[in-house]
Amino acid sequence: MRLPKFPIPAMQFLTSLTYLSSLRIFAEATGNNLDDCKCQPSQRCWPDSHAWSRLNKTTNGALLKTVPPGIVCYQGPAYDKEACEKISEESKYHTWITQSPFNVMQPGWNGNPCPPTGGAEANGTCNTLLGSPVYVINATNPSQVEAGVKFAKKYNIRLIVKNTGHEFLGRSSGAHSLSIWTHYMRDADFTESFKPKKCSKAKAHSAVTIGSGMQWKDLVLLAHPHGKLVVTGGNPTVGCIGGFMQGGGHSPIGSKYGMAVDQVLEINLVTPSGQYITANECENSEYFWALRGGGGGTFGVVTSATIRTYPTQPITVLSQNFTLTSDDTDIWWDWMAYVHSDIPRISEAGLMGYSFIFDNGTGKVGWAAALTMVNGTAEEASDILKPLYANLTNGKYKDHIIYDQQTYTFPDFMTYFVNFFRAERAGSTAVLPSRLLDARALTEDPTFFAATLKKMWSPYVGAYLGHIVGGPGVAQYKNVDMALNPAWRRTYNHFIAATGWDTPDLRDAVVDHARNVLEYNLRKLAPETGQYLNEALYGSEGWQAANWGSNYPRLFSFKNKIDPNGVLYCFNCVGSEKWVESANGSLCRASWA
Ligand SMILES: *[C@@H]1O[C@H](CO)[C@@H](O)[C@H](O)[C@H]1NC(C)=O
Ligand SMILES: *[C@@H]1O[C@H](CO)[C@@H](O)[C@H](O)[C@H]1NC(C)=O
Ligand SMILES: *[C@@H]1O[C@H](CO)[C@@H](O)[C@H](O)[C@H]1NC(C)=O
Ligand SMILES: *[C@@H]1O[C@H](CO)[C@@H](O)[C@H](O)[C@H]1NC(C)=O
Ligand SMILES: *[C@@H]1O[C@H](CO)[C@@H](O)[C@H](O)[C@H]1NC(C)=O
Ligand SMILES: *[C@@H]1O[C@H](CO)[C@@H](O)[C@H](O)[C@H]1NC(C)=O
Ligand SMILES: *[C@@H]1O[C@H](CO)[C@@H](O)[C@H](O)[C@H]1NC(C)=O
Ligand SMILES: *[C@@H]1O[C@H](CO)[C@@H](O)[C@H](O)[C@H]1NC(C)=O
């Protein structure tokens, strides 16, 4: 028997015997009797039109054949100047993308098959084959999902899942695929005393059961009349229980309530073998474990889930700035390191939120933050930052840096959410080298921290994004066993050195810089933590260890057990190292797998 060759250098971390033996078992169990590549439309294995029509019947007519909306911009019978202008404008907005069966927020990773042109007739071809799915099931119930999964399994077709398409690594699109689109599963059922099925020992919780197409703003609005808040993401259009939750899901109120995965009481899903099941701590508990942090599009297609609700709370937001007024950039980075060293204290005291370090367009660097306090007054929130400001106005920084602050108090979570979060725009492709920073990384060596931020700061970097969303609320669940990267439990700041590209010719240079300079240096700040898999570098070095830490071997062997033939595949997802995706869209088993 061949021993597997690890295709990825940082797989070296996985030397545990469990992991090695799971690979061996897999290699023996599957042998060589399967096709080595997923089927493509040009090939004989591809189902004929009768088979597709049968699938359409089984799904009650929910099958859509992909017609890229951008086709109206291309030379040929579909060209329509006005329609092209309209689609070019609409597709800049994420709200439109969530409503499109085919489009995703960052099509760049999948070759951007058919970009709208603004109006002009494009002379190239609208390449319908690469990047987009070939067919989409517009699913409204689990039996349609079951039919789709069984069909993809039977014909060996690549299967992907799209919820909103708000996705930084291209995982909700893919060439030559059948896509299950969950947008229209949108029920919401509130209860004061939810108990997981077959789980008499469980405590009852105030909760809501939602369909997998539910988006945060809609759920916030539905929860409000019940007097409830939900632990949302920081974006109105993101799907609540898709890749967001399954990858962990950090929240603007996470430092009090925990992460999205910490709220989940039960999940209904269709497994990779096409069975509709319920997973909770009492039944199918290994699915329940894996789906809470193991990543979307990997362990099944989630159709609904039940998450906790809480009594709504007043929210105070403290908006504040630091501006460098001199030319002394060394003192600036010194101050930034000091501010970061204070984050654990600020977080433990009850402030949480987002920070941005950016160039204001004139070469001047600045910091802005929106910090939130749950159930605190403006005065209580401001008091937390007083020691920081005292250091600024008394210390060596005082002739170089000024600050400004404003506070806003909202009577309830809904009012805060709708005022603070706007839908993101689509467009350029974000590249997100990032690291979870714990107290040690933030406080131990401010000189090294300052030098690192300074060294990485270049025209490549759009901004440093700080997500102060860990801390006490996330740490409180540290003894709950789930797939979420354990590093989250001691994280105070999920830090991204954000970069990106607009045109494909820049892709390689930007990704190389992101990996070799930004990711490399961020990891030196916190070698022992990890990263947030939903907001990490595309093709991150050693992504398995970085995304899941010590949970990876268990995730890998569970994936092998429930989906030995890779019915569900996505980029940098658990088990995806067994597959090789080529630029022409072919998806084939790695030679060792
Ligand atoms: C599926 O059936 C519906 C309704 O019968 C039809 O409108 C639709 O075009 C069919 N889809 C495909 C891909 O043929
Ligand atoms: C396509 O080609 C025509 C004729 O050569 C030219 O006028 C037009 O500008 C081209 N369109 C684009 C978008 O380049
Ligand atoms: C998808 O299904 C929903 C619900 O049946 C329907 O309202 C919507 O128009 C469908 N979308 C497309 C693109 O067919
Ligand atoms: C950028 O910052 C500098 C220094 O504080 C300030 O003078 C300038 O007005 C700012 N520019 C913008 C566009 O905010
Ligand atoms: C909100 O704050 C008030 C006053 O400090 C306190 O009595 C109450 O218990 C707090 N509620 C929650 C949910 O923390
Ligand atoms: C911040 O203030 C404290 C208390 O005055 C002092 O000990 C510390 O050295 C100051 N730190 C900086 C970076 O100025
Ligand atoms: C922060 O800076 C911006 C631009 O320099 C300014 O308009 C704003 O009022 C400042 N203050 C706060 C609290 O955001
Ligand atoms: C796609 O590319 C791969 C790798 O270059 C190659 O092995 C394969 O034959 C190609 N498939 C098709 C259908 O062109």
Side-chain angles (χ1 to χ4, degrees), residues 323-325 360 362 364:
T323 307
L324 176 65
T325 52
N360 79 356
T362 63
K364 284 284 187 184

Side-chain angles (χ1 to χ4, degrees), residues 67-381:
V67 180
I71 198 162
V72 294
C73 299
Y74 288 74
Q75 195 174 51
Y79 178 71
D80 178 336
K81 187 173 195 306
E82 246 172 66
C84 174
E85 281 166 359
K86 186 159 175 276
I87 207 82
S88 302
E89 187 54 29
E90 284 175 340
S91 59
K92 289 180 189 155
Y93 295 92
H94 193 240
T95 305
W96 180 86
I97 286 165
T98 69
Q99 289 158 6
S100 160
F102 322 112
N103 288 52
V104 293
M105 190 171 74
Q106 304 211 331
W109 298 125
N110 295 303
N112 202 2
C114 192
T117 59
E121 181 170 9
N123 295 318
T125 50
C126 168
N127 189 342
T128 58
L129 290 183
L130 281 181
S132 294
V134 186
Y135 286 94
V136 176
I137 295 176
N138 180 8
T140 48
N141 63 56
S143 66
Q144 294 165 321
V145 177
E146 278 180 304
V149 173
K150 285 181 178 150
F151 187 89
K153 186 180 171 207
K154 176 173 172 190
Y155 290 101
N156 192 27
I157 292 170
R158 179 171 178 183
L159 180 69
I160 57 172
V161 189
K162 183 197 165 189
N163 185 341
T164 64
H166 184 119
E167 198 348 73
F168 293 109
L169 302 174
R171 292 171 297 182
S172 50
S173 53
H176 313 311
S177 61
L178 168 64
S179 169
I180 294 178
W181 183 39
T182 61
H183 182 67
Y184 283 97
M185 296 199 263
R186 303 181 69 80
D187 296 337
D189 184 11
F190 289 84
T191 169
E192 274 306 316
S193 55
F194 179 83
K195 265 194 169 201
K197 284 187 203 84
K198 298 188 190 161
C199 220
S200 48
K201 66 177 181 185
K203 259 180 36 198
H205 283 282
S206 162
V208 59
T209 302
I210 50 179
S212 58
M214 181 61 76
Q215 293 164 270
W216 284 122
K217 185 176 175 183
D218 299 320
L219 187 59
V220 167
L221 293 174
L222 288 169
H224 182 66
H226 295 269
K228 299 294 183 186
L229 67 75
V230 281
V231 180
T232 64
N235 185 295
T237 60
V238 162
C240 308
I241 55 172
F244 170 80
M245 177 280 282
Q246 292 166 55
H250 63 70
S251 170
I253 51 172
S255 304
K256 181 164 174 72
Y257 295 98
M259 300 187 59
V261 276
D262 298 323
Q263 315 310 321
V264 181
L265 302 170
E266 184 165 281
I267 300 173
N268 296 305
L269 69 141
V270 174
T271 67
S273 59
Q275 311 301 310
Y276 179 57
I277 63 166
T278 294
N280 59 39
E281 61 182 283
C282 300
E283 61 173 325
N284 296 307
S285 56
E286 193 69 0
Y287 276 98
F288 192 55
W289 179 84
L291 285 163
R292 287 177 299 157
T298 308
F299 301 99
V301 185
V302 169
T303 56
S304 63
T306 306
I307 62 173
R308 292 173 209 255
T309 58
Y310 301 89
T312 195
Q313 298 292 319
I315 303 285
T316 291
V317 178
L318 195 151
S319 162
Q320 57 98 231
N321 273 347
F322 297 116
T323 307
L324 176 65
T325 52
S326 76
D327 289 325
D328 192 342
T329 55
D330 284 333
I331 201 116
W332 171 259
W333 294 117
D334 184 302
W335 173 245
M336 284 294 103
Y338 181 66
V339 171
H340 280 86
S341 74
D342 210 24
I343 284 175
R345 181 190 69 79
I346 289 170
S347 170
E348 294 291 341
L351 278 183
M352 59 205 85
Y354 307 101
S355 71
F356 309 85
I357 299 174
F358 56 90
D359 179 328
N360 79 356
T362 63
K364 284 284 187 184
V365 66
W367 152 290
L371 300 173
T372 298
M373 190 170 188
V374 177
N375 191 29
T377 61
E379 199 186 356
E380 285 165 335

Side-chain angles (χ1 to χ4, degrees), residues 41 122 132 203 244 320 335 409 415 452 475 530 535 554 569:
S132 294
K203 259 180 36 198
F244 170 80
Q320 57 98 231
W335 173 245
T409 298
T415 314
T452 303
E535 293 168 354
R554 180 169 164 190
Y569 160 89

Side-chain angles (χ1 to χ4, degrees), residues 323-471:
T323 307
L324 176 65
T325 52
S326 76
D327 289 325
D328 192 342
T329 55
D330 284 333
I331 201 116
W332 171 259
W333 294 117
D334 184 302
W335 173 245
M336 284 294 103
Y338 181 66
V339 171
H340 280 86
S341 74
D342 210 24
I343 284 175
R345 181 190 69 79
I346 289 170
S347 170
E348 294 291 341
L351 278 183
M352 59 205 85
Y354 307 101
S355 71
F356 309 85
I357 299 174
F358 56 90
D359 179 328
N360 79 356
T362 63
K364 284 284 187 184
V365 66
W367 152 290
L371 300 173
T372 298
M373 190 170 188
V374 177
N375 191 29
T377 61
E379 199 186 356
E380 285 165 335
S382 300
D383 280 351
I384 298 171
L385 289 193
K386 272 190 183 149
L388 189 69
Y389 294 147
N391 269 78
L392 181 63
T393 48
N394 299 330
K396 59 184 168 181
Y397 312 105
K398 72 171 188 295
D399 297 327
H400 301 276
I401 293 159
I402 53 169
Y403 79 91
D404 186 25
Q405 176 181 303
Q406 273 170 32
T407 54
Y408 309 83
T409 298
F410 300 97
D412 54 68
F413 185 75
M414 186 275 289
T415 314
Y416 152 73
F417 190 89
V418 298
N419 276 286
F420 252 81
F421 296 109
R422 305 276 143 81
E424 268 167 42
R425 283 184 68 139
S428 62
T429 300
V431 177
L432 304 175
S434 62
R435 201 69 179 165
L436 298 174
L437 303 181
D438 61 0
R440 195 211 54 73
L442 290 162
T443 62
E444 195 176 84
D445 190 350
T447 308
F448 179 60
F449 200 95
T452 303
L453 294 198
K454 185 183 175 193
K455 181 157 60 172
M456 295 189 304
W457 191 249
S458 81
Y460 270 108
V461 176
Y464 291 152
L465 309 177
H467 300 73
I468 306 165
V469 294

